[in-house]
Amino acid sequence: MNFWEKPLEDLNRTEWEALCDGCGKCCLHKVEDEDTGNIYPTNVACRLLDRDTGRCSNYRSRRSFVPDCVRLTPEAVAQIVWLPRTCAYRLRADGDPLPDWHYLISGDREAVHRAGESVRGWTVAEVEAGDLENHLVDREL
């Protein structure tokens, strides 16, 4: 059995980290409607997100710079409603297989970008964005 087919709680740290496909979608800012509690995605990238690679530019120390950066755990994955529909952690938590473009399946880190499942090409930098409400996206993440 390949490690990415195991239940999330059975993965070691290296396997857990390797499950990330590098799409970068979880690193986009979200806006919460105060009246309904609904959460809406934006096209505004966290300041640490490399918008070309879809990876955090300072992963190890990210919480020092972005204190509210969410740490994914098997328990958290089950509770975070805004994780992208294609997120490997969400898929595996639901017992679903990884998509063909996931690098663990395809062997190619660029496949996520070619499939149009990453932040590459349609996001803006946090420092340039202004009000998040002006950057809501209607695409399903």
Side-chain angles (χ1 to χ4, degrees):
M1 171 183 286
N2 295 312
F3 76 84
W4 57 86
E5 296 169 330
K6 296 182 196 175
L8 292 180
E9 52 277 349
D10 292 348
L11 300 180
N12 64 39
R13 182 180 174 112
T14 301
E15 293 168 338
W16 177 267
E17 295 296 333
L19 195 55
C20 177
D21 59 32
C23 75
K25 292 188 243 177
C26 64
C27 299
L28 297 178
H29 287 281
K30 290 96 183 146
V31 175
E32 183 175 0
D33 184 312
E34 292 178 9
D35 296 328
T36 66
N38 291 340
I39 298 173
Y40 300 95
T42 72
N43 67 338
V44 179
C46 168
R47 64 183 166 181
L48 294 180
L49 181 65
D50 180 320
R51 295 169 32 228
D52 186 50
T53 66
R55 311 291 285 184
C56 183
S57 64
N58 195 349
Y59 185 74
R60 183 177 294 270
S61 302
R62 69 192 185 282
R63 293 182 57 97
S64 297
F65 298 97
V66 183
D68 60 346
C69 181
V70 175
R71 181 174 177 262
L72 288 183
T73 63
E75 299 78 28
V77 168
Q79 298 173 1
I80 299 174
V81 298
W82 51 258
L83 279 176
R85 63 178 168 67
T86 58
C87 176
Y89 298 103
R90 166 175 262 169
L91 290 170
R92 293 306 305 132
D94 293 343
D96 294 326
L98 298 180
D100 290 341
W101 49 257
H102 193 289
Y103 84 96
L104 290 171
I105 305 299
S106 69
D108 180 5
R109 283 247 183 224
E110 287 294 308
V112 64
H113 306 298
R114 282 194 306 278
E117 294 296 344
S118 76
V119 300
R120 185 183 285 172
W122 62 273
T123 59
V124 296
E126 179 180 284
V127 296
E128 300 168 359
D131 291 333
L132 291 178
E133 291 79 13
N134 296 329
H135 291 276
L136 299 178
V137 294
D138 60 3
R139 68 191 307 171
E140 184 180 353
L141 300 181

